[in-house]
Amino acid sequence: LTPLLNLLQLNAHLLKHIIGHGVGLRQFCDLARAYHSYNGKYDKAELEEIYDRTGLKRWSKQLHAFLIDYIGVEPQELPSSEPAPHKACTLLEIVLEGGNFGKYGSRKAKPARTAIGRKLVTFTAFFSHLGFSLRYAPKEAFWTPVNLMIGNLR
């Protein structure tokens, strides 16, 4: 992928996992390394415009605050120097609670034996992050579970 598309894909993929079961630090490190490696090889203003047009701008500010505060990314390696409106503490709590894709968090339910049980576990994972998701990615917070439900009805 081009640097712009790769950075967009990594960003959106992190959001997908945050909305759902959870995500591990490795995925943040992947994005941090990508920003570092691509620094100077893409148009930062163009990436910011893409984040804005795709509805990822608010989420990206929070994500970038997390990368700076907890991963150690240099702010000049990120596409925007505009600070996040809030510290990334809530995002850190989500990562620590559901890291490694939610497999080991204290909210992790016992493995469900039935198909409907597994679907319920997935639904509760989305619901547990609903406050964060609605704040930073409201459309995704609504449509991701809806699309999952629709897909499961087929």
Side-chain angles (χ1 to χ4, degrees):
L1 297 173
T2 68
L4 285 173
L5 287 177
N6 195 29
L7 291 169
L8 175 63
Q9 186 273 333
L10 288 167
N11 182 316
H13 193 76
L14 271 163
L15 176 61
K16 174 190 163 212
H17 284 290
I18 288 293
I19 289 173
H21 288 288
V23 67
L25 286 175
R26 194 197 110 223
Q27 284 64 41
F28 290 95
C29 293
D30 288 347
L31 181 58
R33 287 298 305 156
Y35 275 132
H36 177 76
S37 298
Y38 292 140
N39 194 26
K41 297 179 182 173
Y42 70 96
D43 184 338
K44 291 182 178 188
E46 185 178 5
L47 183 58
E48 277 295 299
E49 176 63 26
I50 290 169
Y51 286 161
D52 191 32
R53 285 193 326 249
T54 57
L56 293 172
K57 188 171 187 170
R58 192 168 190 192
W59 154 248
S60 295
K61 287 180 185 182
Q62 186 66 23
L63 173 59
H64 294 158
F66 184 87
L67 292 175
I68 292 166
D69 294 348
Y70 299 108
I71 305 296
V73 172
E74 296 295 329
Q76 64 271 18
E77 292 184 344
L78 299 172
S80 174
S81 59
E82 189 177 331
H86 306 285
K87 286 292 197 182
C89 305
T90 305
L91 185 51
L92 178 63
E93 290 171 17
I94 291 171
V95 171
L96 293 176
E97 173 61 35
N100 201 19
F101 308 103
K103 292 182 180 179
Y104 304 111
S106 63
R107 290 188 203 152
K108 173 69 176 163
K110 293 180 182 176
R113 295 178 189 251
T114 65
I116 194 77
R118 288 188 297 275
K119 292 176 190 326
L120 187 58
V121 168
T122 299
F123 175 77
T124 57
F126 279 91
F127 189 74
S128 70
H129 299 151
L130 191 60
F132 180 88
S133 301
L134 286 172
R135 177 180 228 167
Y136 293 103
K139 292 177 185 175
E140 290 79 4
F142 176 78
W143 285 109
T144 300
V146 167
N147 287 331
L148 280 171
M149 285 187 284
I150 290 169
N152 283 301
L153 294 175
R154 293 180 186 175

